[in-house]
């Protein structure tokens, strides 16, 4: 389904960690998904960049590297999972720094709207066999997601919005993960793609 007319102009940047990187691989395998359903990718530009292991402290350096001279209308941020694995990271301080960064992106780069994607759960028992992860990771993710959601709802004038991946946070979330306990399998990837596409559709409607 096409979501914009061929005469429309629109640019968006999706930037995040390995979930976005793998989403790009998933989209590359199907030409109907490569441009998120936009009819004219020469007019309607979606830049999607994923960096494995990306953390909040490195986000702005990657942001500057990706956009170059481009000024996207909208930015979708997926960051935090790698940060919150560590028990040394204070969730409250993380939320403060994340939201400050989003406000900076909007003000310094003239971005109209910034979406902050909800962080998905991880299978902690599986992850713990491969690398350090806090035992209460999913509870911390819930708290961070809720804090960001509440702040965005209380500050609509900021044009920083929380985007919840609803179909990836229900009771069946384990069924959407690969054996590594972190990344999405084929079923989860479809849902993740559709969710981010839904955010893009909403940005179009807000123009």
């Amino acid at each position: 389904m096409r979501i914009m007319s061929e005469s429309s102009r629109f640019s968006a940047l999706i930037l995040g960690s390995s979930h976005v990187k793998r989403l790009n691989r998933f989209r590359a395998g199907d030409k109907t998904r490569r441009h998120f359903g936009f009819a004219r990718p020469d007019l309607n530009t979606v830049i999607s960049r994923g960096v494995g292991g990306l953390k909040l402290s490195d986000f702005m350096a990657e942001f500057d590297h990706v956009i170059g001279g481009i000024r996207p209308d909208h930015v979708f941020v997926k960051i935090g999972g790698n940060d919150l694995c560590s028990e040394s990271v204070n969730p409250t301080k993380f939320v403060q720094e994340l939201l400050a960064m989003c406000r900076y992106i909007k003000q310094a780069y003239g971005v109209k709207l910034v979406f902050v994607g909800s962080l998905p759960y991880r299978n902690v028992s599986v992850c713990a066999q491969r690398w350090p992860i806090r035992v209460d990771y999913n509870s911390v993710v819930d708290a961070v997601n809720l804090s960001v959601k509440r702040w965005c709802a209380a500050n609509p004038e900021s044009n920083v919005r929380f985007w919840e991946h609803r179909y990836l946070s229900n009771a069946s979330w384990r069924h959407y993960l690969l054996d590594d306990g972190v990344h999405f399998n084929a079923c989860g990837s479809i849902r993740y793609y559709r969710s981010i596409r839904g955010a893009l559709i909403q940005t179009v409607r807000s123009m």
Side-chain angles (χ1 to χ4, degrees):
M1 180 178 66
R2 301 303 185 187
I3 60 176
M4 291 188 70
S5 67
E6 294 192 355
S7 61
S8 301
R9 288 187 177 275
F10 171 79
S11 62
L13 170 64
I14 302 165
L15 183 57
S17 55
S18 55
H19 281 98
V20 178
K21 183 177 182 179
R22 289 171 178 255
L23 174 67
N24 293 342
R25 294 177 187 169
F26 172 75
R27 292 190 302 114
D30 186 337
K31 64 180 182 179
T32 64
R33 297 188 180 120
R34 288 176 191 168
H35 302 293
F36 289 93
F38 283 76
R40 287 282 304 276
D42 56 327
L43 294 179
N44 309 318
T45 305
V46 180
I47 302 169
S48 183
R49 168 76 169 165
V51 181
L54 189 66
K55 294 184 178 181
L56 184 63
S57 59
D58 303 316
F59 190 92
M60 283 310 304
E62 192 63 35
F63 183 87
D64 288 331
H65 172 71
V66 172
I67 66 169
I70 301 172
R71 290 294 181 267
D73 299 310
H74 308 286
V75 173
F76 189 101
V77 174
K78 191 280 173 188
I79 197 70
N82 295 316
D83 296 84
L84 298 175
C85 284
S86 173
E87 293 184 359
S88 66
V89 174
N90 181 292
T92 300
K93 184 178 180 182
F94 172 83
V95 170
Q96 293 171 348
E97 293 176 348
L98 170 64
L99 292 171
M101 182 194 73
C102 291
R103 295 195 300 272
Y104 173 78
I105 287 174
K106 184 180 179 300
Q107 295 168 3
Y109 294 87
V111 173
K112 297 176 182 177
L113 185 65
V114 177
F115 275 111
V116 181
S118 63
L119 297 174
Y121 291 147
R122 297 187 179 191
N123 190 326
V124 174
S125 61
V126 172
C127 294
Q129 300 174 26
R130 294 177 169 84
W131 53 76
I133 183 171
R134 64 200 306 163
V135 295
D136 59 344
Y137 176 85
N138 290 333
S139 295
V140 170
V141 160
D142 280 338
V144 166
N145 284 339
L146 182 59
S147 293
V148 175
K149 181 178 181 178
R150 285 177 172 173
W151 187 92
C152 293
N155 297 274
E157 74 286 351
S158 70
N159 283 331
V160 177
R161 298 182 184 175
F162 177 74
W163 186 260
E164 183 175 0
H165 301 296
R166 294 184 181 87
Y167 299 109
L168 294 169
S169 59
N170 57 25
S172 301
W173 64 269
R174 286 182 178 84
H175 298 299
Y176 304 139
L177 298 181
L178 292 170
D179 292 340
D180 65 6
V182 177
H183 301 107
F184 299 129
N185 56 26
C187 186
S189 294
I190 291 173
R191 283 163 173 74
Y192 193 48
Y193 165 81
R194 289 174 177 170
S195 182
I196 292 183
R197 185 174 181 273
L200 295 174
I201 291 172
Q202 189 171 117
T203 63
V204 171
R205 290 173 177 170
S206 69
M207 294 179 68

